[in-house]
Amino acid sequence: MITALQAAHQRILAYANDHPALLGMGTTCTAVAIIGRSLYYAHVGDSRLYLIRDSKIYRLSRDHTYVGRLLEQGISQPRGSGDSPHRNVLLMAWEPVRRSLP
């Protein structure tokens, strides 16, 4: 999964490099693999990952955006943050994670 995400990242960078009008472009991704009772996921951006188990919803990912970070740190308030000109600025390229399922 990590290899695939790294390859996709390199292709996006190369494409943007070949098309100057797209310089700085990116994308979000959430990929999942379940092996036995372990959940593996890789996540970047603001595409959220939730686990629904026994009538409960667990948010597994966090937004890797500038505004998301400000909200986490209590610097900004949720109301109005969706209007920020920085709401789509990503701060992380990818984040692989392994968790045991509840």
Side-chain angles (χ1 to χ4, degrees):
M1 190 181 310
I2 292 171
T3 302
L5 285 173
Q6 288 173 329
H9 178 68
Q10 292 305 314
R11 288 187 69 185
I12 290 168
L13 291 177
Y15 190 86
N17 192 49
D18 292 342
H19 300 85
L22 302 176
L23 194 61
M25 77 172 193
T27 189
T28 65
C29 180
T30 300
V32 173
I34 298 174
I35 302 172
R37 299 227 11 105
S38 293
L39 170 74
Y40 298 85
Y41 67 90
H43 163 72
V44 61
D46 55 0
S47 296
R48 295 180 180 164
L49 175 63
Y50 295 92
L51 172 67
I52 301 172
R53 175 66 55 96
D54 298 324
S55 301
K56 295 180 184 173
I57 300 175
Y58 304 90
R59 182 173 170 181
L60 300 182
S61 63
R62 58 177 228 189
D63 290 353
H64 296 142
T65 61
Y66 178 72
V67 170
R69 186 67 46 87
L70 293 177
L71 290 169
E72 286 176 3
Q73 295 175 351
I75 296 170
S76 181
Q77 298 298 316
R79 181 178 295 169
S81 62
D83 298 329
S84 169
H86 305 292
R87 69 185 172 278
N88 295 321
V89 175
L90 298 179
L91 299 177
M92 187 176 292
W94 53 273
E95 177 185 22
V97 177
R98 175 184 182 262
R99 292 189 182 197
S100 295
L101 296 174

